[in-house]
């Protein structure tokens, strides 16, 4: 067979938990996280054994004049961080990697290898991983109730990082003043954290001398149907065509035909007869298949091959799963009822292989009822708000400020979507209503006021992936969004697009003995190597500018 993978475990590698032990709701939440995969996957030497955790006491509430945070708090909480001063030379900079919407533990590998490590070596600096409030152990409140989450905004977290830079004392380096602006500070982050450091440079220019935004989603978008556009454009054409037609067939059956008999026939064929809600069923077909594109990575040990394996299955031309041969009649009946009678001969094998793929990679991993594994409708679950329910943090952020609801319903009517149109705003906001009693769209203006697609500031670098599904929300969104415009790359404001790249491919790296310098299988691939080398030279130049400014008494 063309590849079998515990897909749900791969999708939730970020939290180190096999999806078969997670509820459908939590799987959905992890799936909508901008960084759905862990990037510190290897066990070369566990980074947590090399880098002890430290805490800095920071204010819970930085903005006592803003009514958004009422009732205000005068409390403080422990913001967790890790650092590596192995390469530090007196006078060197501090490079802070913002962890973003996950525990910082998953980012510790970047202290060992990748661009953060390379920058520390090249500048004689200190590498830092800084955890975001309300993730990991950096909890400002005693629970995650909606009231307690009022302090979870990007603005408050940005103020945390500025406070950190102005107040931190690194253990073992107490003899040095390593706070800003006495020391040069550079910010770095990918995805949500990439947008974060873009805003950090603009809001706190006297604290952070320069920042690098990798796949930074600087434009908050409520209905983010365009997530699937790079997949549609760059995916293997036959695979994309089959996926669109089969999903359209599913929609025709669920939305247009919409009879109990046909819906039951459809769900049963896919092995999901006991998924109660049609939208849950339709969503499951999508996020376990084409939704795995984001997990593609240049590093074989981090790469999720699910998308390529799925495409290999549905385009193989032969039935890959013998157990599906008994469904030939059913599949052909569904294709006819779903509007594809003229393409039955073409689509029967792809559909059988899709069903086989789902059975082997997804359904076989379900423990408990199918509603538990794939359902999103559970008011009791959403009501849980202890610190153990840390899945609540990112949904609160996207329900209140960021959006990024990856719908099929938003796709233009004259275009076949890659995911079901039943995945609409009503379905995607169940968590907003049930967990937080939020029924209005997110206030994306609170984010886009910082510049959105057109954000710009001296000593601010932008690097994106050409094939990244988050590209339509990044400054390099053109041509996927006409509001974004291409820029001229300069030393002050580098603008780079990694050819063939997906999600912040510049961030991770290899140990020297893991690199491959023999064509055509270079590791890292040339576009990644070139991007990392260029960013290193730019930060070195920025650092020289800082040193000169300090000599001139400008700091």
């Amino acid at each position: 067979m063309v590849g079998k993978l515990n897909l749900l475990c791969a999708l939730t590698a970020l939290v180190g938990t096999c999806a078969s032990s997670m509820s459908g709701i939590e799987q959905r939440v992890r799936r909508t996280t901008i960084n759905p995969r862990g990037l510190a996957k290897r066990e070369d030497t566990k980074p947590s054994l090399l880098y002890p955790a430290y805490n800095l006491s920071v204010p819970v509430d930085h903005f006592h004049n803003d009514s958004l945070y009422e009732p205000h708090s005068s409390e403080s909480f422990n913001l967790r961080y890790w650092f590596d001063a192995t390469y530090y030379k007196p006078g060197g900079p501090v490079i802070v990697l913002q962890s973003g919407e996950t525990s910082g533990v998953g980012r510790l590998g970047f202290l060992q290898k990748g661009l953060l490590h390379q920058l520390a070596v090249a500048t004689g600096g200190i590498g830092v991983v800084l955890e975001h409030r309300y993730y990991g152990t950096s909890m400002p409140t005693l629970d995650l109730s909606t009231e307690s989450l009022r302090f979870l905004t990007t603005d408050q977290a940005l103020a945390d990082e500025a406070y950190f830079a102005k107040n931190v004392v690194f253990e073992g380096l107490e003899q040095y003043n390593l706070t800003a602006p006495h020391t040069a500070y550079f910010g770095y982050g990918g995805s949500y954290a990439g947008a974060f450091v873009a805003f950090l440079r603009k809001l706190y220019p006297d604290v952070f001398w320069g920042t690098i935004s990798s796949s930074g989603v600087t434009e908050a978008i409520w209905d983010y149907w365009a997530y699937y556009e790079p997949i549609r454009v760059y995916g293997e054409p036959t695979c994309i065509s089959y996926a669109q037609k089969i999903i359209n067939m599913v929609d025709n059956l669920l939305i247009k035909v919409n009879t109990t008999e046909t819906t039951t026939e459809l769900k049963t064929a896919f092995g999901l007869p006991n998924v109660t809600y049609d939208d849950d069923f339709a969503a499951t077909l999508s996020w376990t298949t084409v939704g795995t594109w984001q997990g593609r990575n240049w590093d074989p040990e981090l790469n999720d091959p699910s998308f390529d394996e799925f495409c290999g299955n549905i385009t193989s031309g032969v039935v890959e799963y013998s157990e599906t041969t008994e469904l030939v009649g059913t599949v052909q009946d569904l294709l006819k009822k779903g509007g594809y009678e003229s393409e039955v001969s073409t689509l029967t094998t792809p559909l059988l292989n899709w069903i086989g793929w789902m059975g082997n990679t997804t359904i076989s991993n379900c423990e408990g009822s199918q509603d538990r594994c794939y359902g999103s409708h559970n008011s009791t679950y959403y009501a849980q708000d202890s610190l153990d329910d840390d899945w609540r943090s990112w949904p609160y952020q996207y329900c209140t400020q960021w959006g990024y609801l990856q719908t099929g319903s938003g796709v233009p009517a004259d275009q076949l979507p890659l995911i079901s149109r039943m995945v609409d705003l009503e379905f995607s906001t169940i968590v907003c209503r049930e967990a937080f009693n939020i029924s209005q769209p997110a206030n994306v203006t609170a984010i886009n006021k910082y510049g959105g697609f057109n954000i710009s500031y001296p000593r601010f670098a932008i690097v994106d992936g050409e094939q990244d599904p988050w590209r339509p929300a990044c400054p390099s969104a053109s041509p996927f969004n006409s509001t974004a415009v291409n820029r001229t790359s300069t030393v002050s404001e580098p603008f780079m697009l990694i050819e063939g790249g997906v999600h912040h491919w510049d961030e991770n790296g290899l140990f020297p003995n893991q690199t491959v310098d023999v064509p055509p299988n270079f590791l890292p691939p040339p576009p990644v190597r070139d991007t990392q080398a260029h960013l290193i030279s730019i930060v070195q130049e920025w650092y020289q500018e800082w040193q000169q400014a300090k000599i001139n008494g400008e700091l």
Side-chain angles (χ1 to χ4, degrees):
M1 296 182 182
V2 186
K4 297 182 179 180
L5 179 71
N6 186 334
L7 181 58
L8 299 185
C9 288
L11 283 172
T12 55
L14 175 68
V15 292
T17 304
C18 178
S20 62
S21 66
M22 298 165 66
S23 73
I25 291 172
E26 193 165 359
Q27 291 177 37
R28 292 269 193 269
V29 169
R30 302 303 185 191
R31 178 64 190 89
T32 56
T33 302
I34 300 180
N35 282 307
R37 289 175 52 76
L39 294 176
K41 183 179 172 183
R42 296 191 196 82
E43 298 294 331
D44 303 301
T45 297
K46 285 188 176 180
S48 58
L49 299 179
L50 298 176
Y51 311 112
Y54 298 90
N55 289 288
L56 178 69
S57 180
V58 303
V60 171
D61 185 1
H62 294 276
F63 306 108
H64 284 259
N65 294 324
D66 192 333
S67 62
L68 179 65
Y69 305 107
E70 293 178 347
H72 292 286
S73 172
S74 298
E75 300 294 321
S76 297
F77 75 100
N78 285 330
L79 188 68
R80 188 165 58 161
Y81 67 96
W82 302 258
F83 73 93
D84 183 5
T86 302
Y87 309 99
Y88 178 68
K89 297 177 181 178
V94 175
I95 304 109
V96 182
L97 178 79
Q98 169 55 230
S99 178
E101 73 284 23
T102 180
S103 165
V105 173
R107 308 301 191 202
L108 296 186
F110 295 137
L111 290 171
Q112 290 180 291
K113 50 197 165 186
L115 187 58
L116 175 64
H117 170 82
Q118 293 170 31
L119 288 171
V121 172
T123 61
I126 299 172
V128 177
V129 171
L130 182 65
E131 197 162 67
H132 192 292
R133 61 168 54 202
Y134 287 93
Y135 295 94
T137 64
S138 299
M139 293 293 176
T141 53
L142 297 178
D143 60 43
L144 296 174
S145 65
T146 303
E147 181 181 7
S148 294
L149 287 168
R150 70 187 183 276
F151 299 113
L152 176 52
T153 64
T154 300
D155 281 340
Q156 291 277 12
L158 286 164
D160 288 343
E161 185 152 337
Y163 186 94
F164 172 87
K166 291 188 289 186
N167 292 276
V168 68
V169 176
F170 294 105
E171 184 178 276
L173 299 171
E174 292 86 354
Q175 67 271 35
Y176 302 108
N177 185 346
L178 295 173
T179 60
H182 304 286
T183 294
Y185 267 72
F186 296 100
Y188 181 35
S191 199
Y192 163 67
F196 185 101
V197 299
F199 307 154
L200 186 70
R201 175 66 182 128
K202 195 165 186 177
L203 289 176
Y204 299 97
D206 296 332
V207 180
F208 279 81
W209 185 251
T211 62
I212 299 171
S213 174
S214 175
S215 295
V217 286
T218 54
E219 181 83 11
I221 302 169
W222 179 237
D223 187 345
Y224 189 50
W225 65 268
Y227 175 90
Y228 290 92
E229 282 296 275
I231 305 173
R232 181 180 68 86
V233 171
Y234 294 108
E236 197 280 319
T238 302
C239 174
I240 296 300
S241 177
Y242 285 166
Q244 288 175 310
K245 290 177 180 180
I246 290 173
I247 285 296
N248 189 51
M249 177 209 72
V250 169
D251 281 353
N252 287 341
L253 294 173
L254 295 178
I255 300 171
K256 294 181 180 179
V257 177
N258 191 24
T259 66
T260 301
E261 180 183 7
T262 302
T263 298
T264 300
E265 182 184 14
L266 176 66
K267 291 181 180 179
T268 303
F270 273 97
L272 295 169
N274 298 315
V275 175
T276 301
Y277 292 90
D278 296 348
D279 48 14
D280 282 329
F281 165 74
T284 300
L285 300 189
S286 302
W287 60 261
T288 57
T289 53
V290 295
T292 62
W293 175 275
Q294 184 178 329
R296 297 164 65 239
N297 196 282
W298 60 266
D299 184 344
E301 292 192 40
L302 297 181
N303 179 54
D304 177 0
S306 300
F307 182 89
D308 292 334
E309 291 178 354
F310 166 71
C311 280
N313 273 266
I314 69 170
T315 63
S316 71
V318 297
V319 176
E320 296 287 346
Y321 304 87
S322 59
E323 62 268 28
T324 66
T325 55
E326 63 187 37
L327 294 173
V328 171
T330 299
V331 160
Q332 292 179 343
D333 184 55
L334 291 170
L335 287 167
K336 292 173 183 177
K337 290 177 180 176
Y340 285 91
E341 184 169 5
S342 64
E343 298 185 56
V344 167
S345 61
T346 302
L347 295 176
T348 294
T349 298
L351 181 49
L352 288 172
N353 286 341
W354 189 319
I355 290 169
W357 165 264
M358 288 281 295
N360 279 261
T361 63
T362 301
I363 299 169
S364 61
N365 293 314
C366 177
E367 297 178 359
S369 72
Q370 290 191 333
D371 275 340
R372 180 191 178 277
C373 292
Y374 311 116
S376 298
H377 302 261
N378 188 331
S379 298
T380 301
Y381 187 90
Y382 289 121
Q384 300 175 92
D385 59 13
S386 72
L387 291 181
D388 291 333
D389 301 298
D390 56 357
W391 59 266
R392 294 172 63 87
S393 296
W394 178 242
Y396 182 81
Q397 287 196 260
Y398 71 68
C399 289
T400 55
Q401 292 191 318
W402 286 87
Y404 296 140
L405 305 180
Q406 300 159 22
T407 71
S409 60
V411 176
D414 62 351
Q415 177 180 313
L416 293 182
L418 273 171
I419 69 166
S420 172
R421 292 190 188 274
M422 297 202 73
V423 181
D424 57 12
L425 291 175
E426 181 71 14
F427 173 76
S428 301
T429 54
I430 291 173
V431 64
C432 304
R433 297 189 301 277
E434 295 284 344
F436 313 115
N437 196 29
I438 295 172
S439 57
Q440 299 299 316
N443 179 22
V444 296
T445 302
I447 301 301
N448 294 335
K449 65 184 179 182
Y450 297 125
F453 288 130
N454 299 314
I455 189 168
S456 175
Y457 210 85
R459 293 189 299 278
F460 165 53
I462 295 169
V463 54
D464 294 323
E466 179 189 28
Q467 301 181 12
D468 189 352
W470 291 101
R471 180 179 168 186
C474 298
S476 60
S478 176
F480 297 105
N481 191 304
S482 59
T483 306
V485 296
N486 289 320
R487 311 179 186 209
T488 300
S489 183
T490 65
V491 172
S492 179
E493 296 190 51
F495 185 64
M496 291 164 278
L497 191 66
I498 300 177
E499 180 183 358
V502 187
H503 206 44
H504 49 82
W505 275 17
D506 56 286
E507 203 162 6
N508 59 289
L510 303 172
F511 290 122
N513 64 349
Q514 295 173 323
T515 60
V516 177
D517 297 317
V518 180
N521 300 313
F522 287 104
L523 286 179
V528 174
R529 293 190 186 200
D530 293 346
T531 298
Q532 290 178 333
H534 187 48
L535 288 170
I536 290 168
S537 68
I538 290 226
V539 171
Q540 287 176 321
E541 187 158 343
W542 288 353
Y543 178 45
Q544 290 173 2
E545 291 177 14
W546 181 88
Q547 291 176 309
Q548 190 60 52
K550 188 172 184 180
I551 292 172
N552 295 341
E554 299 170 3
L555 297 174

